[in-house]
Every structure is written in structure tokens, then in C-alpha cells.
Amino acid sequence: MKKLCLVAAAVSTALVAAPSFAVDYFGYFRAGTALSSNGTGDANYEKQKVGRLGNENDNYSEFGFGKDLKTGEQTWRVESMIASGNSGTNGWQDGDFNVAQYNVQATGLFSSDKEATVWAGKRYYQRRDVHITDFYFLNTSGTGGGIENISVGNQKLSLALVEDSSSKQKTLDGKQWVQKPGTNPGAEGSWEQQDKYKEDEVKGYIADVRLANIGLWEDATLEVAGAYNFSTGTASGNTNVQADDGALVTAILHQNMDAGFNQTVVQYGNSAYGAQMADLGNGGNFDRRDGANNDAQGVRLLNWGVISLVKSGKWVTNCLLLAQQMRLSQRLTARRRTMICSLRSFAQCTNGLTQFVRYLKRVHTLRTTATTVTKKAAS
């Protein structure tokens, strides 16, 4: 007991004497409300097509914390994030709550390549998006691990394996007796045997390969990415998976300019990745519920950018041009073209760690219009 008390005292003294444990903070939040003349209040209408400014009817927040731990020439970063969302209709609400990230990233492990980073855990992994429409065209985030920023000449290579077991398929689970409609339970022949099915989680994984910083001409770079979604079977041990594996190939041409940048994105996907091309699906979710998308193929062409209107960079314009199509069993099923231009203002915080985004939009007008459009569509 005396030895235990001495150890406890020593630990307490060390904690008191240790320097302050400073932690980096990063995050994002949005919150707001709106009025409408027809009494419906907040409205949300196809924000990935018409834009998100004044067109979001929920509250959402992300609170991230990270700490760099240095040991010699190595840096170990521990990072976590809590995300929460709700409708925002009153002052105290339960809502969706998620530990969105918790991972460790180690840089400087290799003497031959000091910038290479090994990571493991749950992570937002190199997501690519159009912020003005909240559209993630490449998003393979999840739990896994990998190594990124491997030097290949002037380029950077990244490799990752991430689990994607979010789908459940119907799997045969024996037989069951079912009463025939309109029969008496005690009558002869009123029952028959039918197949019984269960919801079985499909174990899916994403192999992600990226090569970035490919120099082209002045201020222009190319990034190419390949994501292959494959399955090893179901959680119950069934190797007969109904949905085919699929691949998503992405090329991103990034052009810096004096007052902003422009990106041109070309994507091709098959199977469930191909099916996303017709409905603005993000480059991440892979539907393995059944084999309905096995023959799907899709292409997407996207051009977007940000241009500063004044030298301070606090007033910018966002532009988006999107064309995409999907073929299912060699039949053209959908084609969409969307064009969006909006204004927004950025006010930088003095500590440089957070950024408050003030959207300049006539909220009442836009949301009332969105509600009217929705009602017309319903009628």
C-alpha cells in the first residue's frame, strides 16, 4: 500500500509539473432560421443542384481537436472530431451525434522521405468537394489506414485501405411456414412453406490510390485518383455477394489564377459508382443491397472555381458547370446539366484557426421560392 501511495504521489507531482498541454482546434458550424409568407418556415430544396446559400434548413457542427507530439525528427499527430446535427427548431434538441474522426498520423518515419505520412484510424480522407453546393465528388472517408505523400519525383503518391461495410443484402435463411391469404388457420392446406430471408451486412473495402502534384503548365497541376470497392462476403460468412465490385477513376485539373482558381474534373465509374453519376451521388457511397447496378456505367464532367472580386479576398464568386450521364444495360437513363453562380463573404478570425462564413443571400425570398416549387412538384 505504501508503494502504491508513493507511485500515485509521483504521478500527481509529474502532472502538476508538466507544461500546459496545448491542443489545436478546428471545426465548422452553420445555424440559422427563416420566415416564409405561407407559414412553412425553413425549407431545403435540392441544394446540390441549386446551391446551399440560404437553402439549408438545419443546424450542423463539427468540433475537431488535434495535438502534434514530436520525438526527434518524427511528428505523431493525434486527431479527433465530434459532429452533430439537428433541425434547429428549438433551443434544446437531441440530434444525430457522431465521432466523425479519431486517428493517428506519423510523419518523418522514413529517413529517405521525411514528408511521407503513415496513418491509421477513422478519418476524412483527402475529400474533394464543391463547397458552394456541398457536393463531395470524391469521398472515400472511413476507418482504415495507409501512407500518403510518398515522393515520386515531384509528385506525391498516396495509398489507403478503408472499410466500407454500410450496405445490407437479403440472404436466404432457410424456410418458414406462412398462412395463405383468406384461409382459416386450422383448415387443411391453409399453410405453405416459403423462403425466409435475413438482412446480412456486406463486408466492403476501398483500395484508394492517388497521384498528386503532376506539373503541367504554369500554375496548373493534375491529380489522378482510383478507388476500387471490393467485397469479401457477408458478416455471416456468405461469399455470394449480389452486387459486383466497382471502380471510380477521377482526374482533377487545378489551375491557379491571380484572383482565385479553377478546377476541371472528369470521372468514370461502373457498378454502383456508375449509378451515382445520374443523381449527383457523391464519390464514396457504394450500394451493395442487390445487383440492380451491376451493369451501370457513368461519366461526369465538372468545372468549378472561385474568383475574388476585391483584393482582400473577402468577396468571392463561385461558379459551377456540371454535365453527367449514366448508362444502365447500355440504355441512357439520365442526363443532368446544372449551372450555379453565387456570392459569399469570408470574415477571417484573428487567431487564424477558424473561419466564419457569412452568406449574403436573401434567405426569405429563396426559401419561400423553394417551398413553392416543392408544393407545385407535389401537386
Side-chain angles (χ1 to χ4, degrees), residues 120-235:
K122 187 178 183 183
R123 187 181 178 194
Y124 288 166
Y125 182 67
Q126 296 193 28
R127 302 186 301 174
R128 303 290 182 261
D129 73 311
V130 180
H131 180 72
I132 197 66
T133 58
D134 199 24
F135 175 45
Y136 287 85
F137 56 85
L138 181 58
N139 184 9
T140 56
S141 302
T143 302
I147 179 170
E148 58 186 348
N149 295 328
I150 305 170
S151 298
V152 182
N154 293 326
Q155 289 79 52
K156 294 296 183 181
L157 175 67
S158 298
L159 308 171
L161 180 66
V162 179
E163 184 170 357
D164 183 29
S165 302
S166 58
S167 298
K168 293 183 178 181
Q169 70 174 24
K170 286 186 177 181
T171 301
L172 186 63
D173 188 31
K175 298 285 187 176
Q176 61 182 348
W177 287 98
V178 178
Q179 182 183 351
K180 296 179 181 178
T183 62
N184 189 324
E188 184 178 356
S190 61
W191 293 82
E192 62 180 359
Q193 270 195 329
Q194 294 182 358
D195 291 336
K196 182 175 68 172
Y197 294 89
K198 65 178 180 180
E199 296 287 326
D200 204 359
E201 182 183 68
V202 182
K203 305 303 290 184
Y205 303 88
I206 305 171
D208 189 297
V209 181
R210 308 194 189 193
L211 186 63
N213 198 39
I214 303 173
L216 299 177
W217 51 84
E218 184 177 2
D219 295 328
T221 58
L222 176 67
E223 177 182 1
V224 292
Y228 181 68
N229 198 302
F230 64 95
S231 175
T232 58
T234 68

Side-chain angles (χ1 to χ4, degrees), residues 34-358:
L35 304 174
S36 68
S37 57
N38 58 11
T40 58
D42 270 354
N44 178 301
Y45 180 75
E46 300 283 7
K47 70 176 181 179
Q48 290 188 336
K49 300 172 186 176
V50 302
R52 66 192 301 184
L53 301 185
N55 189 28
E56 291 177 308
N57 62 343
D58 63 341
N59 291 351
Y60 179 74
S61 60
E62 294 177 341
F63 300 94
F65 305 92
K67 175 64 179 179
D68 289 338
L69 305 173
K70 294 186 178 294
T71 57
E73 295 184 355
Q74 299 177 6
T75 300
W76 294 74
R77 180 170 179 81
V78 181
E79 200 167 84
S80 63
M81 174 181 284
I82 298 171
S84 177
N86 56 53
S87 64
T89 55
N90 61 71
W92 183 265
Q93 280 187 305
D94 292 329
D96 295 332
F97 182 87
N98 180 36
V99 182
Q101 297 190 77
Y102 47 91
N103 60 79
V104 176
Q105 305 166 34
T107 305
L109 298 182
F110 309 106
S111 58
S112 59
D113 193 347
K114 297 292 187 181
E115 295 182 358
T117 299
V118 178
W119 68 274
K122 187 178 183 183
R123 187 181 178 194
Y124 288 166
Y125 182 67
Q126 296 193 28
R127 302 186 301 174
R128 303 290 182 261
D129 73 311
V130 180
H131 180 72
I132 197 66
T133 58
D134 199 24
F135 175 45
Y136 287 85
F137 56 85
L138 181 58
N139 184 9
T140 56
S141 302
T143 302
I147 179 170
E148 58 186 348
N149 295 328
I150 305 170
S151 298
V152 182
N154 293 326
Q155 289 79 52
K156 294 296 183 181
L157 175 67
S158 298
L159 308 171
L161 180 66
V162 179
E163 184 170 357
D164 183 29
S165 302
S166 58
S167 298
K168 293 183 178 181
Q169 70 174 24
K170 286 186 177 181
T171 301
L172 186 63
D173 188 31
K175 298 285 187 176
Q176 61 182 348
W177 287 98
V178 178
Q179 182 183 351
K180 296 179 181 178
T183 62
N184 189 324
E188 184 178 356
S190 61
W191 293 82
E192 62 180 359
Q193 270 195 329
Q194 294 182 358
D195 291 336
K196 182 175 68 172
Y197 294 89
K198 65 178 180 180
E199 296 287 326
D200 204 359
E201 182 183 68
V202 182
K203 305 303 290 184
Y205 303 88
I206 305 171
D208 189 297
V209 181
R210 308 194 189 193
L211 186 63
N213 198 39
I214 303 173
L216 299 177
W217 51 84
E218 184 177 2
D219 295 328
T221 58
L222 176 67
E223 177 182 1
V224 292
Y228 181 68
N229 198 302
F230 64 95
S231 175
T232 58
T234 68
S236 66
N238 180 13
T239 58
N240 183 22
V241 177
Q242 299 170 19
D244 288 346
D245 298 341
L248 176 66
V249 180
T250 305
I252 306 172
L253 172 61
H254 185 97
Q255 177 69 62
N256 284 321
M257 296 178 287
D258 291 339
F261 69 88
N262 178 266
Q263 279 190 359
T264 299
V265 180
V266 179
Q267 290 186 297
Y268 167 80
N270 65 358
S271 190
Y273 280 139
Q276 295 179 17
M277 302 299 174
D279 58 3
L280 288 176
N282 67 34
N285 296 332
F286 197 92
D287 187 357
R288 289 188 174 274
R289 290 175 296 177
D290 50 42
N293 297 320
N294 286 351
D295 295 328
Q297 298 184 61
V299 293
R300 175 184 289 144
L301 174 63
L302 186 154
N303 183 276
W304 75 286
V306 175
I307 303 295
S308 297
L309 301 182
V310 293
K311 290 184 179 181
S312 66
K314 292 185 177 181
W315 286 78
V316 299
T317 182
N318 293 255
C319 297
L320 167 64
L321 174 64
L322 173 63
Q324 53 191 34
Q325 68 179 27
M326 184 268 283
R327 290 182 180 272
L328 184 61
S329 300
Q330 304 304 315
R331 180 172 60 87
L332 184 64
T333 59
R335 178 177 294 169
R336 303 183 189 275
R337 290 184 176 85
T338 307
M339 200 164 189
I340 301 164
C341 293
S342 303
L343 294 176
R344 62 180 178 175
S345 170
F346 292 89
Q348 302 289 340
C349 294
T350 56
N351 59 11
L353 296 177
T354 60
Q355 185 181 69
F356 173 72
V357 182
R358 181 187 178 193

